Amino acid sequence: MGNKERTFFFVHDTARENAARMCHQAPGDWMAVFKPTTRTLMQNAKLHAMLTDISGQAVYMGKKRSVEFWKGLFVSGYQIATGKSPEIVPGLEGEFINIRLSTASMGIRMVAELIEYISAWAAMNEVRFKDDRAVY
């Protein structure tokens, strides 16, 4: 088995069988972690292209905003819209901080939903996307 880390994507029975076999053969000081896959590179590229277009065209509360601001705003709004409320906590100086999901930790389905949420907002706010990547 060696000392090499392996990753299995459970997309077919053979992958599941290989993972099970590795679990049976693993030494006692190894561990297995099962978790959903996170966003794809294409999703990440599409998300950031969309946020860049929005930050170049849209205004929020009377100001132009950064890509990172828009990302935080959309993730927070998406969480509220889907019943996954972000946590609002008081900060060290009495300010309020939104503890939101990280897009890096989101699964493929969740990022697809976030992209749809952003697309809907953009359509209602007359934002035109330069990059029309359909794959996500």
Side-chain angles (χ1 to χ4, degrees):
M1 187 172 115
N3 223 4
K4 189 174 178 188
E5 181 179 315
R6 298 277 314 269
T7 301
F8 297 93
F9 293 95
F10 299 139
V11 294
H12 48 68
D13 287 341
T14 303
R16 291 174 186 278
E17 290 163 9
N18 290 339
R21 186 172 18 270
M22 187 161 185
C23 285
H24 287 290
Q25 295 171 353
D29 61 344
W30 280 53
M31 68 176 191
V33 177
F34 295 89
K35 63 181 185 175
T37 55
T38 57
R39 66 186 180 185
T40 67
L41 292 176
M42 286 298 290
Q43 283 181 310
N44 189 52
K46 181 175 182 72
L47 178 62
H48 283 274
M50 293 171 78
L51 294 170
T52 298
D53 288 345
I54 290 168
S55 73
Q57 297 174 45
V59 172
Y60 187 78
M61 306 270 316
K63 291 182 178 178
K64 284 287 210 183
R65 303 291 180 160
S66 70
V67 169
E68 285 304 311
F69 173 88
W70 285 105
K71 182 194 260 186
L73 191 68
F74 283 120
V75 171
S76 182
Y78 164 78
Q79 284 183 255
I80 296 296
T82 58
K84 302 172 189 74
S85 297
E87 185 178 3
I88 308 295
V89 298
L92 298 175
E93 301 295 330
E95 78 280 20
F96 289 100
I97 299 172
N98 178 351
I99 309 299
R100 64 170 179 80
L101 291 171
S102 163
T103 57
S105 67
M106 288 182 172
I108 291 171
R109 242 183 242 138
M110 191 177 285
V111 175
E113 291 173 356
L114 175 61
I115 287 170
E116 288 299 321
Y117 179 83
I118 294 170
S119 294
W121 184 92
M124 291 186 297
N125 289 276
E126 299 180 8
V127 171
R128 302 286 177 247
F129 294 120
K130 297 175 198 158
D131 186 357
D132 191 25
R133 297 177 198 194
V135 179
Y136 58 86

